[in-house]
Amino acid sequence: MSTVPMRTVSMSTVLLTGFEPFAGETTNPSWLAVQRAQELWEGPEALDVLELPVEFGRAAEVLNEAIERLRPELVIAVGQAGGRATLALERVAINVDDARIPDNAGASPVDAAIVVGGPAAYFATLPIKAALAALTREGIPAVVSQTAGTFVCNHVFYALMHALAGAAGDEMAAGEPAEGVPGRDHRRGPRGGFVHVPYAPEQAAGTSHPSMTVETMATGLVSIVRTSLTTTTDMALAAGATH
Amino acid sequence: MSTVPMRTVSMSTVLLTGFEPFAGETTNPSWLAVQRAQELWEGPEALDVLELPVEFGRAAEVLNEAIERLRPELVIAVGQAGGRATLALERVAINVDDARIPDNAGASPVDAAIVVGGPAAYFATLPIKAALAALTREGIPAVVSQTAGTFVCNHVFYALMHALAGAAGDEMAAGEPAEGVPGRDHRRGPRGGFVHVPYAPEQAAGTSHPSMTVETMATGLVSIVRTSLTTTTDMALAAGATH
Amino acid sequence: MSTVPMRTVSMSTVLLTGFEPFAGETTNPSWLAVQRAQELWEGPEALDVLELPVEFGRAAEVLNEAIERLRPELVIAVGQAGGRATLALERVAINVDDARIPDNAGASPVDAAIVVGGPAAYFATLPIKAALAALTREGIPAVVSQTAGTFVCNHVFYALMHALAGAAGDEMAAGEPAEGVPGRDHRRGPRGGFVHVPYAPEQAAGTSHPSMTVETMATGLVSIVRTSLTTTTDMALAAGATH
Amino acid sequence: MSTVPMRTVSMSTVLLTGFEPFAGETTNPSWLAVQRAQELWEGPEALDVLELPVEFGRAAEVLNEAIERLRPELVIAVGQAGGRATLALERVAINVDDARIPDNAGASPVDAAIVVGGPAAYFATLPIKAALAALTREGIPAVVSQTAGTFVCNHVFYALMHALAGAAGDEMAAGEPAEGVPGRDHRRGPRGGFVHVPYAPEQAAGTSHPSMTVETMATGLVSIVRTSLTTTTDMALAAGATH
């Protein structure tokens, strides 16, 4: 999917992933949005996109293969959160699969570890607060979310952060930087995170579900990428939840 | 606000109204959307737009004056429903004001009749089910709503239907056509209704509220106008609420 | 039902109705709550209870027969609103059936008038604001609701108000008293209204739906009956909706 | 379990904690519910209760002191989740404070680690799925929740699991048992978790918020304690979230 056949070590790469459709849908706005973000992207970094299967295990394998191949400095996985109303900057990935519906290969793991022996969770290493501030300034609805669920989205998010933690060659990404500020110091190693998107309008038509145009999603993703590339220390902006 | 200075009896007119901002907002997407719908409109009917004040009493006066002047065959009032996720085709206007917040003139009526001696309610005389079907086909999120609230939106909706019922010179619009099908026979007299729109994305930014682009709203309004002009008997499509 | 076989003209009667189970449920908390309210009731008025079928048409017939037989001065119909979180004092009944699911006899009317030639709506003639104030004082969660939906609950509510308007021998109940204060002057004729109740805890178990114990519902219903019997002019308490 | 009426070192102790009121409330149903659960408890284990301050830092200190003193085999912290509709069995505590409102001492930490150098998260070591199944069987509304927020509730939950992980003298509680089944093997060491409760009815009165009686909460807590004491390996019951 890269349109840049050769790459030098000095060329920065950003990888955006979306998912194939699932749960009876015929499209997945996450994949439409990352493709549109690629069109909107003006560099100088290369921006690659990748469509992941909605399958426990295989989604992570496809992602890991791309990370090894592309060596991106920034990876943002994007997934559909039908029923949510805004972009959601996910804060944390947890080491458990618990599926209420089967994935696209028919698997429904319950309370299975994603990485046996892995940490209970990873925090995103994106500057989610700075990204939230930028999106709000630009008029794009977004929130920080405290859970990415326990389905394939969280699975990919956890696998991504596990891969990046390994790539960093240290424990930087594992929840707790030296300064004691979770996810707020991103000076070393590739960074990654996860963004949930609402239904596209076409999916919500005929229902009372909230939706967002793919154009708005893509504009928001470009903003998140830009903020992530230019922010070394995240802002201290309250965006938590009381419960 | 009409751009057509002279008008002949054979020229059909459609009137769309929006509201000025209220409740601390600096824009009102209903007014932005009706203006954009006017730009998108391709006729042959004339489409006029009108901005109404968010004031009990005066909003209805401004609307009534425009109806008398323009003699539209179709009037759709549009208002902001912050927190709702889709276009809402309102089914019924009730004869009561009950304001939890002051209007833009500082008035907060509680349990006051809109028209003293008027009927308890009017049904919209738009083909709301046919409009819902068309919007769904076009991928624009919409629902039929069973309540327009008790603030200025419902006030204008009730006043509109009261005016059109009088203009029809009969009791057609008063809730109960001869065939016993509420709101489904619209052969005589001017027709009217109300559409609620969500927040625009810029208003929802920084919150978890759902939103819709003004372009989607406007495209939806054009669809509703077109369906209303071309449908004489509404579809029998279930779109009620169990409670 | 009544345990008082004979009745004199001087004996005031209150009638509470609940519904049989529907939509796959095995109980209906509305019927449990009115029975428990009867046990809690301390008079001096007689309090009768009646279980209505969840059937368009027949529910109204059963109710009307009881009203003719009992000549109650106050009738409160109660129904289940699965998914709502509080008691809901319904403000208005509208003259339309629009069923998304079949009733217990398999009927799914769409956009049918409840009473052909009847007014578009009736306002409850309960003092809903005084009742809300009393419930709040007593720590029982309640709201005023602007729509009772378009299923059998609204059907019964409309039929009830239509019957009471006829029984009143005038147009008092038809939405608009002489003073121009909808539903706030209840000096003449029998009064009526509708209260929606949430799921009971047993129904909500295993889901994320809100619920309320039958004891709380029944205590609330007794409070509403008491307030309705002792309030002639309703309070002017804001409890509307902006949309 | 011991049947010896005098307390010896072999006598099992259960500790339930609630919180003091916060955010302008005058009561906290979590504290009312744990006190009522203590009354309902029939042993043979001792059941102690403790009221925690709603203060970052100090709440954890008070809890830790009690754990050191009582050496409980089971600790369940309980907190108020205003706006939620059911009991919520929390799955995971994350190592971050992010306060949108000040705690009762005026502190509003943003993106601060709870334990500097601690793991990103701990899974509850309660059998949350078996507890969910038991509650559902008993007609008590409950769900598994994937986030306890980022306020004092999550703070106490994280501190609790950190303390128990240390007390266990091994890495058992740290998210990932040897079998690779997060939170499902609880054979060794004291166990702990967190349960969120809705508003009590008195708090929700006058609003549209869901609520639950303290009696229902307390009955549910007793059930959770009993299930936790008698379940060594949790059930594989799907209770995740797609996002």
Side-chain angles (χ1 to χ4, degrees):
Chain A
M1 282 153 235
S2 169
T3 57
V4 181
M6 306 222 324
R7 188 154 306 172
T8 67
V9 69
S10 63
M11 176 64 153
S12 265
T13 298
V14 174
L15 175 63
L16 295 186
T17 70
F19 282 104
E20 65 181 8
F22 70 106
E25 299 285 339
T26 56
T27 60
N28 189 317
S30 66
W31 176 232
L32 301 176
V34 299
Q35 289 178 99
R36 179 63 183 140
Q38 191 182 38
E39 291 174 5
L40 296 175
W41 183 248
E42 295 185 334
E45 300 82 357
L47 192 151
D48 280 307
V49 298
L50 177 68
E51 186 181 19
L52 299 177
V54 178
E55 296 180 30
F56 291 102
R58 202 159 76 80
E61 290 165 22
V62 173
L63 174 60
N64 283 340
E65 183 281 326
I67 290 172
E68 289 206 11
R69 180 166 42 85
L70 298 170
R71 305 268 166 197
E73 69 165 308
L74 174 66
V75 185
I76 302 178
V78 184
Q80 167 190 306
R84 292 201 194 173
T86 70
L87 298 183
L89 297 148
E90 296 296 345
R91 188 195 290 266
V92 64
I94 62 175
N95 190 14
V96 65
D97 293 331
D98 189 358
R100 283 180 187 268
I101 58 172
D103 71 8
N104 283 357
S108 302
V110 172
D111 294 347
I114 298 167
V115 175
V116 175
Y122 286 102
F123 287 109
T125 48
L126 303 184
I128 55 176
K129 302 301 183 68
L132 175 64
L135 290 165
T136 300
R137 219 162 40 228
E138 295 158 17
I140 297 172
V143 297
V144 165
S145 164
Q146 323 303 330
T147 173
T150 59
F151 196 57
V152 181
C153 286
N154 174 73
H155 182 93
V156 160
F157 182 15
Y158 185 92
L160 166 63
M161 300 316 299
H162 190 70
L164 297 186
D170 59 28
E171 294 302 303
M172 271 303 293
E176 188 49 51
E179 294 75 9
V181 184
R184 284 184 54 203
D185 192 302
H186 315 122
R187 289 164 300 184
R188 289 177 293 171
R191 289 155 300 160
F194 196 95
V195 176
H196 265 119
V197 297
Y199 282 134
E202 294 73 16
Q203 296 176 287
T207 79
S208 58
H209 286 303
S211 60
M212 181 178 279
T213 63
V214 168
E215 192 69 20
T216 302
M217 295 176 193
T219 306
L221 291 175
V222 167
S223 172
I224 295 167
V225 170
R226 183 59 63 210
T227 301
S228 298
L229 290 171
T230 56
T231 306
T232 49
T233 303
D234 200 2
M235 297 171 59
L237 174 70
T242 44
H243 57 79
Chain B
M1 280 149 237
S2 167
T3 58
V4 181
M6 305 218 329
R7 188 151 307 172
T8 66
V9 68
S10 61
M11 177 62 155
S12 265
T13 298
V14 172
L15 176 62
L16 294 186
T17 71
F19 282 103
E20 64 182 9
F22 70 106
E25 299 284 339
T26 56
T27 60
N28 189 316
S30 66
W31 176 231
L32 302 176
V34 300
Q35 288 178 101
R36 179 64 183 140
Q38 190 182 39
E39 292 174 5
L40 296 174
W41 184 247
E42 296 184 334
E45 299 82 357
L47 192 150
D48 280 308
V49 298
L50 178 68
E51 186 181 18
L52 299 177
V54 178
E55 296 181 30
F56 291 102
R58 201 160 77 80
E61 290 165 21
V62 173
L63 175 61
N64 283 339
E65 184 279 325
I67 290 173
E68 288 205 11
R69 179 166 44 84
L70 298 170
R71 304 269 165 196
E73 67 165 309
L74 175 66
V75 185
I76 301 178
V78 184
Q80 167 190 306
R84 292 202 196 174
T86 69
L87 298 183
L89 296 148
E90 295 296 345
R91 188 195 289 266
V92 63
I94 62 175
N95 190 15
V96 65
D97 292 333
D98 189 358
R100 282 180 188 267
I101 58 171
D103 71 9
N104 283 356
S108 302
V110 172
D111 294 347
I114 297 168
V115 176
V116 175
Y122 286 102
F123 287 108
T125 48
L126 303 182
I128 54 176
K129 302 301 184 68
L132 175 63
L135 290 165
T136 301
R137 220 161 38 228
E138 294 158 18
I140 298 172
V143 296
V144 165
S145 164
Q146 325 302 331
T147 174
T150 59
F151 196 57
V152 181
C153 286
N154 174 74
H155 182 93
V156 159
F157 182 16
Y158 185 92
L160 166 62
M161 300 316 298
H162 190 70
L164 297 187
D170 58 28
E171 295 302 304
M172 272 304 292
E176 188 47 53
E179 294 75 10
V181 185
R184 284 186 52 206
D185 192 305
H186 315 121
R187 289 165 299 186
R188 289 177 293 170
R191 289 157 297 162
F194 196 96
V195 176
H196 266 119
V197 297
Y199 282 133
E202 293 75 15
Q203 296 175 286
T207 78
S208 58
H209 286 303
S211 61
M212 182 179 278
T213 63
V214 168
E215 192 69 19
T216 301
M217 294 177 194
T219 306
L221 291 176
V222 167
S223 171
I224 296 167
V225 170
R226 185 57 65 209
T227 301
S228 298
L229 290 171
T230 56
T231 306
T232 49
T233 303
D234 200 1
M235 295 171 61
L237 173 71
T242 45
H243 57 81
Chain C
M1 290 167 238
S2 170
T3 57
V4 181
M6 306 218 327
R7 190 152 305 170
T8 68
V9 68
S10 62
M11 176 63 155
S12 265
T13 298
V14 172
L15 176 62
L16 294 186
T17 71
F19 281 104
E20 64 183 9
F22 71 106
E25 299 285 339
T26 55
T27 60
N28 189 316
S30 66
W31 176 232
L32 302 176
V34 300
Q35 288 178 101
R36 179 65 183 140
Q38 190 183 39
E39 291 174 6
L40 296 174
W41 183 249
E42 296 184 334
E45 300 81 358
L47 193 151
D48 281 306
V49 297
L50 178 67
E51 186 181 19
L52 298 178
V54 179
E55 297 180 30
F56 291 102
R58 201 159 79 78
E61 290 165 21
V62 172
L63 174 60
N64 283 340
E65 184 280 325
I67 290 173
E68 287 205 13
R69 179 165 44 85
L70 298 170
R71 305 269 165 198
E73 69 165 308
L74 175 66
V75 185
I76 301 178
V78 184
Q80 167 190 306
R84 292 202 195 173
T86 69
L87 298 183
L89 296 147
E90 295 295 345
R91 188 195 290 266
V92 64
I94 62 175
N95 191 14
V96 65
D97 292 332
D98 189 358
R100 283 180 187 266
I101 58 171
D103 71 10
N104 282 358
S108 303
V110 172
D111 294 347
I114 297 167
V115 175
V116 176
Y122 287 101
F123 287 109
T125 49
L126 303 183
I128 54 176
K129 302 301 183 68
L132 176 63
L135 290 165
T136 300
R137 221 163 37 229
E138 295 158 17
I140 298 172
V143 296
V144 165
S145 163
Q146 326 300 331
T147 173
T150 60
F151 195 57
V152 181
C153 286
N154 174 72
H155 183 93
V156 159
F157 182 16
Y158 184 92
L160 166 63
M161 300 315 298
H162 190 71
L164 297 187
D170 59 26
E171 296 301 305
M172 272 303 293
E176 188 47 53
E179 295 76 10
V181 185
R184 284 185 52 205
D185 192 304
H186 314 121
R187 289 165 300 185
R188 288 177 295 169
R191 289 156 298 162
F194 196 96
V195 176
H196 265 119
V197 297
Y199 282 133
E202 293 75 15
Q203 296 175 287
T207 79
S208 58
H209 286 303
S211 61
M212 181 179 279
T213 63
V214 169
E215 192 70 18
T216 302
M217 295 177 193
T219 306
L221 291 176
V222 167
S223 171
I224 296 167
V225 169
R226 184 59 64 211
T227 301
S228 298
L229 290 171
T230 55
T231 307
T232 49
T233 302
D234 200 1
M235 297 171 60
L237 173 70
T242 45
H243 58 80
Chain D
M1 287 160 248
S2 171
T3 56
V4 178
M6 294 186 10
R7 193 183 298 218
T8 69
V9 69
S10 63
M11 175 67 157
S12 267
T13 297
V14 173
L15 175 62
L16 295 186
T17 71
F19 281 104
E20 64 182 8
F22 70 105
E25 300 284 339
T26 55
T27 60
N28 189 317
S30 66
W31 176 230
L32 302 176
V34 300
Q35 288 178 101
R36 179 63 183 141
Q38 190 182 38
E39 291 174 6
L40 295 175
W41 183 248
E42 296 184 335
E45 299 82 358
L47 193 151
D48 280 306
V49 298
L50 177 67
E51 186 181 20
L52 299 177
V54 178
E55 296 180 30
F56 291 103
R58 202 160 76 80
E61 290 166 22
V62 173
L63 174 61
N64 283 340
E65 184 280 324
I67 290 173
E68 289 206 10
R69 179 165 43 86
L70 297 170
R71 304 268 167 198
E73 68 164 311
L74 174 67
V75 185
I76 302 178
V78 185
Q80 169 191 304
R84 291 202 194 172
T86 69
L87 298 183
L89 296 148
E90 296 296 346
R91 189 195 289 267
V92 63
I94 63 175
N95 190 14
V96 65
D97 293 332
D98 189 358
R100 283 181 187 268
I101 59 173
D103 72 8
N104 283 358
S108 302
V110 172
D111 294 347
I114 298 167
V115 175
V116 175
Y122 286 101
F123 287 108
T125 48
L126 303 184
I128 55 176
K129 303 299 184 70
L132 176 63
L135 290 165
T136 300
R137 222 163 35 230
E138 295 158 18
I140 297 172
V143 297
V144 165
S145 164
Q146 325 302 331
T147 173
T150 59
F151 195 58
V152 181
C153 286
N154 174 74
H155 182 94
V156 160
F157 181 17
Y158 185 92
L160 166 63
M161 300 316 299
H162 190 71
L164 296 187
D170 58 27
E171 293 303 304
M172 270 304 292
E176 189 47 53
E179 294 75 10
V181 185
R184 284 184 55 203
D185 192 302
H186 314 121
R187 289 165 300 185
R188 288 177 294 172
R191 289 157 296 161
F194 195 95
V195 176
H196 265 118
V197 297
Y199 282 133
E202 294 72 18
Q203 295 175 288
T207 79
S208 59
H209 285 303
S211 61
M212 182 179 277
T213 63
V214 168
E215 191 70 20
T216 302
M217 295 176 193
T219 307
L221 291 175
V222 167
S223 171
I224 296 167
V225 170
R226 183 60 61 210
T227 301
S228 298
L229 290 171
T230 56
T231 306
T232 48
T233 302
D234 200 1
M235 296 171 59
L237 173 71
T242 44
H243 57 81

